[in-house]
């Protein structure tokens, strides 16, 4: 034991930590160590300030072709980045005159590493009009070329050398989705970074007031919100609210009166019998735990319903805003429910909330130009409606929405016919972050070299297809988001065990000041 640890042994923090670890003896040494680190970090939390913050993870399932999301828009005759874009993208190139222009500041550092500080005019996809507007208004930032990394990979030569450990199963959908959501790319999955952050934040910000989990998913059980300490379990709702027991009518109308009492119907008798059984005490621990979960889920149903009811009394017309924005889609409906749960946050009793939602269809191996355009339109309209709703509710500064995806797609097309061509599985990708707290209107990280293969300056990972070696790791990206939520520097080792391998998010080289 180090000297300073001995000196601190008698502190209250160590007493609590040691007591907790003693009680964890039956869970095994590995779990005990994990709990010990979490406990240490939790004790270091800044006392809650009573403010409200929510983090919304928007996962783009399938591998988002961000090469056609953030696009060089200069004249190829004088702009080398645009020239490389047109050469590499070929039939997948977007007409630069159709792009939504971005007012990239002259102070941006995103072009320093690979372009000598020469800033190219940039634009977003033609269907991303509102996202571009948010960028130009300072409410949206783009993080360039971020991806899963086990250790920093400085160059194509370093990648090819085989001396640098790489993420497991690169270019695999399921593996990369899991690694994006866990931030740990060199070990089998055990928990997500959102779940680990929630384990810490809950005790500091929600304890004593929380009536339902702070981790709510609109897209089913996910890896992102799986914790380790068991403090917070993810709760799944759908776009209409909670998922009720089947067979009892909409909102249990076949079984319950409006005051919650049972009707005399057969459905009511079945529901009463079921709930009576759930209240019984069982000697079998598995049965007891099952009952406990069911009872908790039924209680949460009521709480969520009350939160939605409270949201509907705010005077904000959620349906009208989302309909007007053209966001009556799957993603739009997910974000509308998240907005309602944020509006009803006082009922839920959480000062910190983490949401997960998802849009699928980004595995664009074919007809990319059309299918990607449709997806970007849904993304754009949904974010437009969500941002306008949050502003109407007065919580725009309290909610940060960020994107993640399996990976970027290959830069080069897989067909010479523009109507059929798609792209394949790539690596480093661009993500965006939006909200009133975001230092928007700028590009962060490093915009990649768009040269493919072994050409000088290429960061194409071992191919000629344009698989960009990420400059920024998921760990760094996520750490910045968790820090905004209230996780302090002492928590980072517990939430992001590999973060120390990369630049600290506050370092001068990390360029991650988007929050």
């Amino acid at each position: 034991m180090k000297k300073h640890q001995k000196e601190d042994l008698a502190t209250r923090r160590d007493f609590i930590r040691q007591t907790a670890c003693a009680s964890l003896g039956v869970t095994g040494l590995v779990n005990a160590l994990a709990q010990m680190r979490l406990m240490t970090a939790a004790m270091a939390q800044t006392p809650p300030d009573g403010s409200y913050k929510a983090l919304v993870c928007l996962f783009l399932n399938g591998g988002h072709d961000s090469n056609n999301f953030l696009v060089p828009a200069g004249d190829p005759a004088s702009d080398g980045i645009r020239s490389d874009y047109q050469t590499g993208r070929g039939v997948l190139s977007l007409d630069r005159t159709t792009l939504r222009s971005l007012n990239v500041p002259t102070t941006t550092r995103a072009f320093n590493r690979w372009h000598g500080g020469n800033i190219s005019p940039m634009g977003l996809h033609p269907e991303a009009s509102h996202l571009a507007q948010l960028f130009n208004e300072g409410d949206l930032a783009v993080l360039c070329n971020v991806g899963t990394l086990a250790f920093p990979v400085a160059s194509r030569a370093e990648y090819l050398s085989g001396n640098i450990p790489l993420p497991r199963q690169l270019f695999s959908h399921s593996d990369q989705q899991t690694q994006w959501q866990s931030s740990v790319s060199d070990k089998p999955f055990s928990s997500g970074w959102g779940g680990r952050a929630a384990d810490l934040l809950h005790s500091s910000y929600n304890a004593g007031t929380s009536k339902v989990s702070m981790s709510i998913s609109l897209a089913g059980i996910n890896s992102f919100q799986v914790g380790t300490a068991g403090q917070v379990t993810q709760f799944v709702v759908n776009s209409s609210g909670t998922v009720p027991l089947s067979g009892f009518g909409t909102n249990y109308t076949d079984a319950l009166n409006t005051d919650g009492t049972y009707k005399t119907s057969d459905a009511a008798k079945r529901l009463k019998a079921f709930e009576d059984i759930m209240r019984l005490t069982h000697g079998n621990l598995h049965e007891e735990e099952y009952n406990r979960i069911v009872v908790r889920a039924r209680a949460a149903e009521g709480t969520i319903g009350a939160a939605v009811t409270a949201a509907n009394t705010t005077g904000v017309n959620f349906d009208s805003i989302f309909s007007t924005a053209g966001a009556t889609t799957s993603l739009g409906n997910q974000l509308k429910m998240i907005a309602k749960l944020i509006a009803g946050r006082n009922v839920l009793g959480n000062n910190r909330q983490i949401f997960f939602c998802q849009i699928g269809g980004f595995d664009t191996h074919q007809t990319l130009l059309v299918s990607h355009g449709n997806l970007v339109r849904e993304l754009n309209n949904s974010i437009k409606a969500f941002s306008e709703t949050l502003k109407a509710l007065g919580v725009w500064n309290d909610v940060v929405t960020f994107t993640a995806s399996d990976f970027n797609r290959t830069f080069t097309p897989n067909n010479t016919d523009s109507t059929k061509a798609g792209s394949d599985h790539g690596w480093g990708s661009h993500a965006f972050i939006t909200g009133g707290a975001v230092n928007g209107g700028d590009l962060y990280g490093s915009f990649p070299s768009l040269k493919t293969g072994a050409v000088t300056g290429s960061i194409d990972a071992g191919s000629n297809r344009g698989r960009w070696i990420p400059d920024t790791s998921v760990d760094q990206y996520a750490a910045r988001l968790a820090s905004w939520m209230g996780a302090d520097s002492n928590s980072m080792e517990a939430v992001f065990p590999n973060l120390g391998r990369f630049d600290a998010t506050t370092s001068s080289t990390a360029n991650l000041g988007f929050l």
Side-chain angles (χ1 to χ4, degrees), residues 3 20 39 75 101 170 210 215-216 228-229 235 248 299 302 324 388 395 403 405 429 434 493:
K3 182 179 178 181
M39 186 64 74
D75 183 346
S101 297
L170 266 176
S210 176
S215 294
I216 295 180
T228 56
F235 187 77
F248 302 105
T324 301
E388 290 178 354
V395 292
T403 62
S405 185
S429 183
T434 186
E493 181 188 359

Side-chain angles (χ1 to χ4, degrees), residues 126-195:
E127 296 286 356
S129 57
H130 182 70
L131 299 178
Q133 180 181 339
L134 284 174
F135 182 97
N136 291 331
E137 291 174 348
D139 284 341
L140 183 144
V142 179
L143 177 58
C144 302
N145 199 25
V146 54
T148 58
L149 285 170
F151 285 88
V153 182
S155 65
R156 174 181 170 90
E158 199 166 78
Y159 172 88
L160 292 172
S161 72
N163 295 327
I164 305 297
L166 298 171
R168 298 156 61 98
Q169 301 297 320
L170 266 176
F171 319 125
S172 154
H173 282 294
S174 58
D175 291 277
Q176 295 308 299
Q177 288 172 0
T178 300
Q179 291 172 31
W180 259 94
Q181 294 181 29
S182 71
S183 87
V184 179
S185 62
D186 58 349
K187 294 182 177 64
F189 174 80
S190 62
S191 61
W193 72 260

Side-chain angles (χ1 to χ4, degrees), residues 96-109:
R96 67 189 185 92
T97 64
T98 66
L99 300 173
R100 303 293 179 174
S101 297
L102 300 181
N103 301 325
V104 179
T106 57
T107 54
T108 188
R109 295 162 53 196

